[in-house]
Amino acid sequence: MASEISVEDQVLVETVRKNGIGILRNLLSPEEIKAVRKEFDQAHLDLGKGPGTPGVRDSMSGEALLAYPNMAALYSHPRIMNIISTMLSEPTPWVWVVKTNRYTPEHIGVQKHTDGFLGELAPPFTRQAMAVFLDDVDEESGALTYVPGTHLMHFNDNPNRLPPTQEDIDAGDYIPATPKAGDVVFRVPEVWHAVIPIRRMRR
């Protein structure tokens, strides 16, 4: 059950609802980041991903990740869950998938896309993604880029709306988001986004 949300976090929720992206800064302390990184790297070794291959994105998902207590705590972190609960207007949101992503440089990045369904519209604000960053990103390496407000174009709350095309997505005016290690990015799945080329490890 969600608890009362702080003023700071309510402002974040409003930002995410408006822009499709919002960043919660400094959720993790340097000591917590170090502990999660250690488990993250060990999980990738234990689960057969190795130390990382240049140019490859390694993804892992599922219950095996919950065996690592510092990582597992992030998937149900009370502050994160409270923000998501408020975002979705859902007292007890459920987790669809827990996963990790590791991009080993040099990596080409991720092309412009939406996590909505091309050619379809969806009910507004029924899904919410979040990512805890374990490494800094910036406009020279690994920044998440997005087009503010484009998630709204994928919602079925307007009977005259047509779903965006890939051509629309490719032509968007993208801006960078630059989270640091220990920050959390909240992203409405439908917002148009991409990742610039990655020149340092991005976890």
Side-chain angles (χ1 to χ4, degrees):
M1 182 69 70
S3 58
E4 185 174 350
I5 195 168
S6 69
V7 172
E8 177 186 1
D9 289 354
Q10 183 63 52
V11 170
L12 175 63
V13 166
E14 292 168 2
T15 298
V16 178
R17 282 182 166 267
K18 177 182 177 182
N19 293 335
I21 295 276
I23 303 177
L24 173 62
R25 300 289 185 182
N26 302 313
L27 179 74
L28 300 183
S29 69
E31 294 75 17
E32 290 171 321
I33 294 168
K34 183 177 179 180
V36 177
R37 280 177 177 164
K38 182 177 180 180
E39 287 189 352
F40 182 103
D41 293 340
Q42 188 62 53
H44 280 69
L45 293 174
D46 294 345
L47 300 176
K49 296 294 184 179
T53 301
V56 171
R57 176 176 72 172
D58 291 312
S59 294
M60 303 190 304
S61 62
E63 292 185 6
L65 299 177
L66 303 182
Y68 302 86
N70 291 290
M71 288 197 341
L74 296 181
Y75 296 118
S76 59
H77 191 285
R79 190 174 179 191
I80 291 174
M81 294 306 294
N82 204 31
I83 290 169
I84 291 175
S85 177
T86 304
M87 268 295 307
L88 301 181
S89 302
E90 173 56 62
T92 54
W94 54 274
V95 177
W96 177 45
V97 63
V98 297
K99 66 183 299 185
T100 66
N101 278 323
R102 176 182 65 188
Y103 297 81
T104 303
E106 300 277 331
H107 189 281
I108 62 172
V110 179
Q111 298 301 306
K112 299 171 181 177
H113 68 288
T114 174
D115 289 343
F117 300 101
L118 282 177
E120 299 180 20
L121 298 175
F125 301 111
T126 56
R127 300 185 297 154
Q128 182 63 42
M130 72 85 182
V132 181
F133 278 71
L134 302 182
D135 301 287
D136 295 350
V137 304
D138 56 37
E139 294 183 34
E140 302 299 320
S141 177
L144 173 71
T145 65
Y146 69 105
V147 185
T150 47
H151 57 300
L152 302 173
M153 299 167 64
H154 291 263
F155 293 157
N156 63 5
D157 52 356
N158 181 338
N160 299 316
R161 179 173 292 142
L162 296 176
T165 66
Q166 185 62 50
E167 289 75 16
D168 295 325
I169 294 169
D170 289 338
D173 187 13
Y174 287 74
I175 64 172
T178 54
K180 304 299 183 184
D183 292 349
V184 184
V185 172
F186 292 87
R187 176 175 56 79
V188 179
E190 290 83 0
V191 73
W192 305 351
H193 60 286
V195 177
I196 69 168
I198 298 163
R199 313 192 190 288
R200 301 188 303 272
M201 183 68 76
R202 185 183 192 270
R203 294 169 288 186

